[in-house]
Amino acid sequence: GGAGQPGGVQPRGGARQAARAGMRRAVALFLAWSSAVCRDASGIEVFVKFGPKEKKCYGEQVAKSELLVAEFATKDGKKVNVTVLSPHVTIFSEHKREKVKTAFTTSEAGPHWMCIHNEEDTASEVWMKILAGPEAKDYSQIAKKEHLEETQVTLRKVEEILQNYHSNVLYIRAREERMRVTNDSTAFRVIGFCVFNVVLMITVGGWQMLYFKRFFRSKKII
């Protein structure tokens, strides 16, 4: 008779099937996590109430060369002023509009501010939507243009989210390094100022002692 398979040893075909099944489960879990990440990073979308003549600003921390899309619309048809500011300059400004939409690629990293000013004498409510980075892109159009499947689109979005996160981390590190250099420079100046004060006080004290000694000798007190 033919020799049977030893107990506890799986055929090669069964091992390959198990490996493939494990790989499929790992890919499925990764895609599920990717979808959750993409859904969670959905930007800002809120209704904001403004009192008469009130101005409010909302900031978004973005990296350099990152797409930023901002939309505004008044709920009651009233007109507002909208200004978008980078860390150093004004990027966009519209006055007395019911609806405003702007999209641009940032030229520098840092906080970008969206300011809304209600110049009316009555209260108003404004719908605001801000998307940054991968969340601001229309991946359905990218999928049609590049003929990508849903899995590829998800992977592309996750890749760009991670790249964006990495850029933000690099920006934060660079900012912390600048702050550390500034703190070290300030501490050095403070120490130098303290040393100068001590030397000055000792010099003035010594001069006063010599002055009074000469004064008392001239008056023959000592």
Side-chain angles (χ1 to χ4, degrees):
Q5 290 287 345
V9 178
Q10 212 176 16
R12 290 184 179 179
R16 289 176 181 175
Q17 290 178 358
R20 290 174 183 173
M23 182 66 70
R24 284 195 295 268
R25 285 195 296 269
V27 171
L29 288 173
F30 175 76
L31 292 178
W33 172 82
S34 303
S35 300
V37 169
C38 295
R39 285 195 300 269
D40 291 342
S42 56
I44 303 172
E45 185 174 0
V46 292
F47 277 97
V48 184
K49 293 183 178 181
F50 291 83
K53 305 294 183 179
E54 186 177 10
K55 180 179 180 180
K56 294 181 180 179
C57 294
Y58 298 87
E60 180 76 10
Q61 181 75 33
V62 295
K64 185 179 179 180
S65 301
E66 187 174 342
L67 179 63
L68 185 67
V69 177
E71 296 182 63
F72 309 89
T74 56
K75 189 176 180 181
D76 43 17
K78 296 179 181 178
K79 296 181 180 180
V80 295
N81 300 339
V82 175
T83 305
V84 180
L85 306 168
S86 74
H88 298 101
V89 297
T90 300
I91 298 175
F92 174 84
S93 182
E94 285 284 354
H95 300 278
K96 297 187 180 298
R97 300 278 184 164
E98 295 181 14
K99 294 182 179 180
V100 176
K101 182 176 182 179
T102 179
F104 58 91
T105 301
T106 59
S107 59
E108 59 180 327
H112 286 63
W113 297 92
M114 277 58 67
C115 296
I116 307 170
H117 187 194
N118 176 27
E119 292 186 337
E120 302 289 338
D121 295 326
T122 57
S124 180
E125 190 171 5
V126 178
W127 170 78
M128 176 177 67
K129 184 177 182 180
I130 301 172
L131 300 175
E135 295 79 32
K137 295 184 179 181
D138 187 353
Y139 283 91
S140 61
Q141 295 297 326
I142 296 176
K144 291 180 181 179
K145 183 178 179 180
E146 300 183 15
H147 307 288
L148 301 177
E149 297 180 358
E150 183 178 355
T151 303
Q152 294 173 311
V153 173
T154 302
L155 292 174
R156 173 78 66 85
K157 189 171 184 180
V158 171
E159 180 184 5
E160 294 186 1
I161 289 174
L162 294 177
Q163 289 176 349
N164 178 56
Y165 175 78
H166 180 65
S167 299
N168 284 328
V169 169
L170 293 179
Y171 165 73
I172 292 172
R173 285 183 178 177
R175 186 175 62 178
E176 289 179 349
E177 180 64 20
R178 290 195 301 269
M179 292 178 64
R180 187 187 65 80
V181 171
T182 302
N183 290 338
D184 291 345
S185 175
T186 303
F188 178 77
R189 292 178 182 178
V190 170
I191 292 172
F193 181 72
C194 292
V195 171
F196 172 76
N197 282 339
V198 171
V199 173
L200 181 63
M201 290 174 64
I202 293 173
T203 303
V204 171
W207 177 82
Q208 286 179 342
M209 289 179 64
L210 292 175
Y211 173 79
F212 285 119
K213 189 175 181 180
R214 290 175 181 176
F215 174 78
F216 290 138
R217 281 181 177 177
S218 66
K219 299 296 182 179
K220 297 182 179 180
I221 298 175
I222 59 173

